[in-house]
Amino acid sequence: MITKIVFGDPVRTDAVTARVPKGEKVKNFSLTREEKRLVFRCPLKAGDAVYGLGETMGRVNKRGGRYISFNTDTADHTDSNPSLYASHNFIVIDGERPFGAFFDTPAKVTFEIDYMGSGEVVADCETCDLNLYEIEGGSAYEVCRELIRAVGRCYLPPLWAFGYGQSRFGYASPEDFRAVADGYKNNGIPLDYICMDIDYMDGYRDFSFNERSFPDPAAFASDMRGRGIRLVPIVDAGIKIEPGDPVYEEGVKGGYFCKNRDGGFFSAGVWPGMTHFPDFLNTSAREWFGRQYKFYTDRGFEGFWNDMNEPAIFYSEYTKGLKNPLYRLAMDILFGKRRKEKKERELVRDYKSFFHDADGRRLRHYDVHNLFGAMMTRATSEGLERLLDHRFMLFSRSSFIGAGRYGGVWTGDNSSTWEHLMLNVRHMPSLNMCGFLFSGADTGGFGGNCTRELLLRWLAFSVFTPLMRNHTSKFTRNQEAYSFGDTDAFRKVIGLRYRLLPYIYSEYMKAALRSDMYIKPVEFVYPEAKGIEDQLLVGDSIMIAPVVTEGALSRNVFVPEDMTLVRYDGGFKCESASRGWHTVGVGLDEVVFFVRRGKLLPVGKPIMNTGEYDAAALELLGDGETYELYTDDGLTRECTEANIRLLKKA
Ligand code: GLC
């Protein structure tokens, strides 16, 4: 049961699309109204878990932490950092009578959840205008599903987006991309796409190619397609101020950029130098921005990642900041915390200095900050829907609940550490609770140098996340799967992704069609697994228990009911695992997971990319009797239950 309580005159976020009955007053919280804020409080009992908040630091059970929804470009993914790139203001309190609340405001919200042992949840909204959705259900899982239903059907990627992708900040020429394609092919490791980071552009301008390196991008894209590989260009939020450039000129002429107090366009320094930010809260500006993707679709590109859309600001017309990125990095390292605090103050000042025209309503950016990235994703997605007659790949760094209808997300600039592998494990169920099914992290880590062991363990986890992309920063050690000597183990682990494709694709599409989660905490189905956060349920049949510890060649696994243990080392080996704790050996060149009792797992033949996928050549593992397989051509928009057929075990 979901109800909506309206406070003041909330900004339209379009986060919820279902018709929701209105309630008169909050039921599960006490409420203090202060001059410029609404503060909600609710006591917690000792054993209550609190879930939600999507992309935040901390554990899956959010108790004990303080989290601030204020979208931030930050590489500091540590518990001392309260804000990452996204705002997902949905929490579920799993007590005697489970209930959830979605604080639907693009303003800053601070959550303190049993913070310092306070024994209560506090949600402090920096606004008096808010749509609050209260959801009651029989279980935390039901509450999440009710929210997902209310948000509306999540984004449906094409089949190829479920393949494995390689990326790196620094690939700059066709030779770089060809070398990656060759590296994978020559080592017999499957690959579906390579991401193009900002170096493909001309002076870091969106909707441009560096013509010296890419004289004929359409021919290049088609050549790569011929090898079974798609290219996925990055698009940043800011449009470079460059008189004479058609995109810039059109934006100025149409008045599509965010404005200063005095009516001029706000200018912020990002990768290309000074830019203007498209006013994504304005319908005409969104349509204009969406139309620009024609530049790529005309040249055969059909997958994109949207970045820097918190929006990130390196420096602005008001704050001098440090223009040279390397110098900035050096200063950050030398003056760490002090620089960070100064930067935060400058950002707030910037965000308070420009305005949106939300179709006639003038809004200060700071007050609607958290919506910016989500609306960029919406602009892109709606644009691509008009430009293409089939599904496309799209994922964004910044997001707000509701954006999961338009595209996926990745979790930004993590590092090559074991902690960040575990953070990835924790993010996945929390993101799913908030309706972001197509998600994943930079596999192997963005910052820092990845080791062979970490990459293998990270890949073995990413095999199960819908977005499986290896990405790293400039100046880091090579991170492609063929860069670490003997490639046999990589071939096996990435190969597993492709053998599981029938399952991963079916489970994702069914979850999307049925307003379900694709990845969930084990305790959502098996309450006796409460508190176990390093095991997850993936789809309806699989439980995973990834190895997230350096040097470990085994791990303890709680098996909540008798299951089938599946060991993949190039072939599938099944054995039974009885209910209880097990110490399971997991070599570096294998992946171990579990098939639930009474369930089946369809697996396909080894293939080199999704183009070779054959849904007719399947094998069924596990002790169940039937499996609902979803199949289509991987591109059609006609995704319905009619594409599901029942497979029966022979
Ligand atoms: C940001 C992105 C990262 C990208 C880089 C250069 O840091 O998060 O993924 O590689 O910008 O575009």
Side-chain angles (χ1 to χ4, degrees), residues 292-584:
Q292 304 310 314
Y293 284 76
K294 187 167 189 302
F295 174 81
Y296 302 108
T297 55
D298 276 353
R299 289 163 178 79
F301 296 85
E302 34 193 66
F304 305 92
W305 46 313
N306 283 347
D307 192 22
M308 309 306 274
N309 48 3
E310 294 68 32
I313 299 180
F314 295 167
Y315 52 90
S316 79
E317 56 182 290
Y318 303 110
T319 50
K320 294 209 174 56
L322 299 166
K323 301 200 174 164
N324 182 327
L326 288 180
Y327 186 53
R328 212 170 39 237
L329 188 69
M331 286 300 153
D332 285 348
I333 293 166
L334 282 174
F335 300 106
K337 194 162 179 280
R338 247 179 51 214
R339 269 266 310 153
K340 196 171 168 241
E341 281 164 7
K342 179 163 180 287
K343 176 79 200 153
E344 277 168 14
R345 278 198 309 274
E346 288 178 354
L347 271 174
V348 166
R349 193 180 151 189
D350 284 337
Y351 292 147
K352 285 187 173 169
S353 73
F354 67 95
F355 295 83
H356 296 272
D357 168 7
D359 301 338
R361 187 169 177 183
R362 187 171 186 260
L363 300 167
R364 184 172 69 157
H365 174 80
Y366 178 83
D367 302 319
V368 291
H369 173 69
N370 294 336
L371 208 51
F372 189 82
M375 288 296 156
M376 179 187 184
T377 309
R378 177 174 175 185
T380 307
S381 189
E382 290 179 340
L384 290 170
E385 255 176 43
R386 283 188 285 265
L387 289 164
L388 298 168
D389 60 2
H390 53 75
R391 275 136 64 194
F392 45 81
M393 183 186 206
L394 178 62
F395 57 100
S396 165
R397 194 170 72 176
S398 184
S399 61
F400 185 80
I401 287 185
R405 291 196 305 276
Y406 298 107
V409 290
W410 98 98
T411 52
D413 300 348
N414 60 3
S415 331
S416 301
T417 64
W418 292 87
E419 287 74 19
H420 282 182
L421 166 55
M422 187 56 207
L423 180 64
N424 187 187
V425 175
R426 289 183 163 135
H427 271 157
M428 294 311 298
S430 302
L431 280 164
N432 273 258
M433 290 173 202
C434 299
F436 292 91
L437 270 55
F438 193 74
S439 45
D442 286 351
T443 299
F446 180 71
N449 290 320
C450 194
T451 61
R452 181 173 192 274
E453 182 191 357
L454 178 59
L455 185 58
L456 276 168
R457 292 305 194 199
W458 209 319
L459 285 165
F461 171 65
S462 299
V463 156
F464 299 96
T465 67
L467 173 66
M468 183 189 187
R469 180 182 73 139
N470 177 339
H471 180 48
T472 184
S473 184
K474 244 180 190 159
F475 311 122
T476 62
R477 192 185 284 165
N478 288 350
Q479 201 167 290
E480 299 83 7
Y482 52 79
S483 307
F484 295 86
D486 184 9
T487 52
D488 189 48
F490 291 94
R491 198 164 29 252
K492 287 177 182 162
V493 174
I494 298 170
L496 173 63
R497 167 70 167 210
Y498 284 81
R499 300 209 64 184
L500 291 180
L501 205 59
Y503 178 76
I504 291 169
Y505 190 51
S506 293
E507 292 305 303
Y508 183 96
M509 298 303 272
K510 285 186 288 181
L513 292 176
R514 296 169 180 176
S515 307
D516 206 340
M517 295 165 67
Y518 165 81
I519 292 187
K520 48 189 176 284
V522 180
E523 64 204 70
F524 272 24
V525 174
Y526 302 102
E528 59 274 41
K530 195 154 185 163
I532 297 179
E533 299 196 348
D534 60 354
Q535 299 180 202
L536 296 170
L537 295 174
V538 178
D540 191 44
S541 303
I542 289 182
M543 180 182 82
I544 59 168
V547 176
V548 293
T549 314
E550 185 167 18
L553 286 172
S554 68
R555 60 155 289 172
N556 290 339
V557 182
F558 176 63
V559 180
E561 66 176 346
D562 294 351
M563 291 187 179
T564 305
L565 181 153
V566 182
R567 187 177 294 279
Y568 184 79
D569 60 359
F572 293 98
K573 299 194 180 87
C574 297
E575 58 188 87
S576 49
S578 55
R579 183 180 187 280
W581 283 95
H582 295 258
T583 302
V584 180

